Amino acid sequence: MLFRSFSTDPARMWSPHHWLTLESLLTRAGYKTVILHSETAGTERYGGTKIIGAQANRIAGIMLNAACVVGTDHGLSHLGGILGVPTVVIGGGTPVDRIFNAYPRVTALQGELSCSGCAGGFPADSACWKSCANLQSVAPSRVMAEIDRIWLKETLTAGRSLVDTPRLRVIRDAVLATNHLPGRSEEHTSELQSHGES
């Protein structure tokens, strides 16, 4: 999973706490994370691979190899849409569902407050310019559920599974919880089969 956890516009910045929570959820679910940033400062608490100050062509190459891109309403989210990479865009002050609907593989997650889509105008509360409360209302668990839907249902099973996303998630989590346990060796299995034949 590739995500860009910063924005030059504070009103379009999803909180660092949300980003770190999302990274934790992704890691527990077995996803690897890559964090894009323009500078090292601000990336210290992330555990995934950090790519700092990369050129546009390198970023595009990384995106093309990502299972999913996650970001707020900014240029890299548009680049994910243009490249056709599954992209989840988190929006609050901007109506991301209308802005990103031209891209077929972009999912827009809009904030849940009634003040949605005020970025082009003048919000009633000047605090919105510092941090959009509507953007912050998008919970990391909601983003994670969408990433799971994209990866498990659309990509991994290519839409051919009759099992729904929540059940696929349970199967994935069970595999992750037990894959460290020792299993039967092929030698032991063939031994059991030969005993059954005699």
Side-chain angles (χ1 to χ4, degrees):
M1 296 300 134
L2 176 70
F3 56 90
R4 180 179 183 232
S5 60
F6 72 97
S7 174
T8 54
D9 180 354
R12 293 183 187 189
M13 177 89 88
W14 206 38
S15 80
H17 173 74
H18 281 359
W19 283 115
L20 290 165
T21 301
L22 177 61
E23 184 182 35
S24 176
L25 292 170
L26 288 165
T27 301
R28 278 191 305 222
Y31 295 105
K32 292 181 180 174
T33 60
V34 175
I35 296 89
L36 292 177
H37 209 302
S38 59
E39 53 190 53
T40 306
T43 64
E44 301 86 3
R45 296 189 298 170
Y46 293 100
T49 303
K50 298 165 192 84
I51 298 178
I52 311 299
Q55 298 295 318
N57 59 344
R58 181 165 182 228
I59 291 171
I62 293 164
M63 283 183 154
L64 286 169
N65 289 289
C68 186
V69 174
V70 181
T72 59
D73 177 11
H74 52 61
L76 287 180
S77 296
H78 284 281
L79 181 58
I82 291 166
L83 293 173
V85 177
T87 303
V88 176
V89 182
I90 307 159
T94 55
V96 290
D97 51 343
R98 290 193 310 241
I99 295 169
F100 286 88
N101 68 0
Y103 308 121
R105 299 197 73 194
V106 172
T107 302
L109 297 181
Q110 192 68 43
E112 298 174 0
L113 306 182
S114 61
C115 57
S116 179
C118 64
F122 296 95
D125 187 349
S126 61
C128 296
W129 293 119
K130 296 178 185 159
S131 176
C132 173
N134 196 30
L135 179 65
Q136 306 317 317
S137 74
V138 180
S141 58
R142 185 175 165 205
V143 179
M144 182 67 193
E146 189 56 32
I147 291 168
D148 274 346
R149 185 195 65 75
I150 291 167
W151 174 248
L152 296 172
K153 194 70 179 170
E154 289 182 16
T155 307
L156 189 65
T157 64
R160 292 187 301 261
S161 175
L162 296 177
V163 179
D164 62 11
T165 305
R167 287 187 175 98
L168 287 170
R169 192 180 304 122
V170 169
I171 294 167
R172 187 256 335 265
D173 292 347
V175 169
L176 288 172
T178 59
N179 70 357
H180 67 284
L181 300 174
R184 286 189 186 161
S185 67
E186 286 182 31
E187 197 175 290
H188 183 66
T189 304
S190 61
E191 215 175 277
L192 289 172
Q193 286 172 342
S194 65
H195 284 299
E197 291 169 0
S198 55

